[in-house]
Amino acid sequence: MEVGFLGLGIMGKAMSINLLRHGFKVTVWNRTLSKCDELVEHGASIGETPAAVVKKCKYTIAMLSDPSAAQSVVFDKDGVLEQISSGKGYIDMSTVDAETASKISEAIKAKGGDFLEAPVSGSKKPAEDGQLVILAAGDKALYDEILPAFDVLGKKSFYLGEVGNGAKMKLVVNMIMGSMMNAFSEGLTLAERSGLNPGTLLDVLDLGAISNGMFKLKGPTMLKNSYSPAFPLKHQQKDMRLALALGDENAVSMPVAAAANEAFKKARSLGLGDLDFSAVHETLKALDHST
Ligand SMILES: NC(=O)C1=CN([C@@H]2O[C@H](COP(=O)(O)OP(=O)(O)OC[C@H]3O[C@@H](n4cnc5c(N)ncnc54)[C@H](OP(=O)(O)O)[C@@H]3O)[C@@H](O)[C@H]2O)C=CC1
Ligand SMILES: O=CC(=O)O
């Protein structure tokens, strides 16, 4: 199967290498074109523009940073819309809001193309290992056609119905994750400041009812103040912001998520946006000079 791939950041690079490893023919494009070179070493071809990739490929996948990037790649000059047409499918796996997904969907469909949103749960390592959870919605026929690629990229794919449901599901999941990360950071700091060994706290947590993969993975690196980015903090804050907007629309009061968003904003203001989202831990240190 031949696919195009737009966006070679942390996730897009891992996902497209994974597709190449499994025998897919992949044509890649990235805004910073030099990032394509490494993919060529893995067997990819390069498309000079998003339009060139769509022209060449029946299916094109995108993995871009945010709503503005997702729209720019579709609507701007040399963008996806210039070449999408009947018989071609566009699959946007970026985390965006439902409104952005719908806007892109309508534009693709107006040109005769098919559209699927398919944001993912799971970070750099699951992307490398083909263990993502795929939250797809939109054109069901396109979903069925692209399943061989989803089967390589993920451990499970959900088809959630109409466009927007994928974005909403992803935002709910990441809102919970961002709130949990803040509670976890506070717990690690409280353990340390009150004279406990935070490493022992990790062991205790891991044996109880709130044991989870995120605490297990991030706890040891957070205790070493090590925040090499798997999921950049600026993207987690974007997801909190979009989830809070979804809460506004639906009159859902979310004080915990709102507080977590403030902590991520604080972290961004401290220049931590490009570090892993677990670097929100540093905001507690920055705030705590009172004693
Ligand atoms: N990292 C993770 O753990 C996960 C991330 N996600 C989501 O996946 C998406 C990608 O994340 P990730 O790979 O980590 O992000 P990165 O920041 O590593 O990569 C972002 C990508 O978007 C491109 N981009 C940004 N702005 C524009 C623009 N205006 N026009 C065209 N391209 C643009 C970048 O291009 P350039 O190289 O030129 O900057 C790069 O290819 C995000 O929506 C994120 O929320 C979802 C699950 C997990
Ligand atoms: O969006 C991030 C993730 O880990 O999932």
Side-chain angles (χ1 to χ4, degrees):
M1 191 178 213
E2 179 164 16
V3 294
F5 207 106
L6 311 178
L8 302 175
I10 292 172
M11 295 297 284
K13 176 181 156 185
M15 292 160 75
S16 46
I17 288 177
N18 203 13
L19 288 168
L20 286 161
R21 240 189 309 129
H22 284 84
F24 284 74
K25 286 186 179 172
V26 185
T27 300
V28 296
W29 171 86
N30 192 64
R31 178 181 61 174
T32 309
L33 266 180
S34 57
K35 287 193 191 168
C36 295
D37 295 345
E38 191 183 341
L39 272 291
V40 171
E41 287 168 25
H42 289 268
S45 310
I46 299 180
E48 290 292 317
T49 62
V53 173
V54 173
K55 183 176 183 185
K56 184 174 174 200
C57 303
K58 183 171 164 64
Y59 304 108
T60 300
I61 296 172
M63 193 52 161
L64 301 156
S65 51
D66 54 22
S68 154
Q71 292 188 56
S72 165
V73 163
V74 171
F75 294 103
D76 287 0
K77 184 172 178 306
D78 296 325
V80 169
L81 271 195
E82 291 186 10
Q83 287 296 331
I84 199 84
S85 59
S86 173
K88 288 183 183 282
Y90 186 61
I91 302 107
D92 192 348
M93 304 187 79
S94 322
T95 304
V96 298
D97 54 322
E99 192 185 346
T100 299
S102 297
K103 190 174 166 193
I104 293 173
S105 173
E106 280 160 25
I108 299 278
K109 286 191 163 304
K111 290 266 184 171
D114 294 324
F115 178 77
L116 205 59
E117 59 169 350
V120 301
S121 195
S123 192
K124 183 180 175 188
K125 182 80 169 59
E128 287 168 351
D129 296 344
Q131 292 292 305
L132 297 168
V133 178
I134 297 172
L135 307 170
D139 194 307
K140 179 66 166 65
L142 177 57
Y143 175 80
D144 292 336
E145 288 168 37
I146 202 70
L147 262 181
F150 284 176
D151 286 345
V152 163
L153 296 171
K155 62 180 173 187
K156 171 86 181 166
S157 297
F158 290 86
Y159 177 74
L160 300 170
E162 67 183 41
V163 171
N165 287 347
K168 290 178 195 169
M169 183 66 83
K170 174 61 184 165
L171 293 177
V172 171
V173 170
N174 273 30
M175 181 204 78
I176 296 170
M177 186 170 81
S179 299
M180 279 173 63
M181 177 53 84
N182 275 278
F184 186 45
S185 291
E186 289 179 5
L188 291 176
T189 304
L190 180 60
E192 200 163 21
R193 296 290 164 82
S194 60
L196 295 172
N197 179 340
T200 308
L201 171 65
L202 295 184
D203 293 339
V204 173
L205 286 172
D206 196 38
L207 290 166
I210 58 169
S211 166
N212 68 77
M214 184 179 83
F215 290 180
K216 218 176 162 71
L217 184 69
K218 303 289 183 186
T221 49
M222 289 165 75
L223 292 185
K224 289 184 197 145
N225 307 319
S226 168
Y227 307 110
S228 171
F231 181 35
L233 187 143
K234 63 186 176 192
H235 296 332
Q236 171 68 83
Q237 196 268 315
K238 171 255 303 177
D239 295 350
M240 296 308 285
R241 172 169 56 81
L242 298 177
L244 286 166
L246 186 61
D248 280 359
E249 275 171 44
N250 291 282
V252 178
S253 171
M254 304 195 300
V256 175
N261 185 42
E262 290 303 317
F264 287 118
K265 279 161 63 181
K266 176 77 188 170
R268 283 184 59 194
S269 79
L270 293 170
L272 307 176
D274 289 324
L275 297 182
D276 191 68
F277 78 120
S278 53
V280 74
H281 191 42
E282 292 294 313
T283 61
L284 295 172
K285 296 176 194 169
L287 289 173
D288 191 2
H289 293 304
S290 53
T291 55

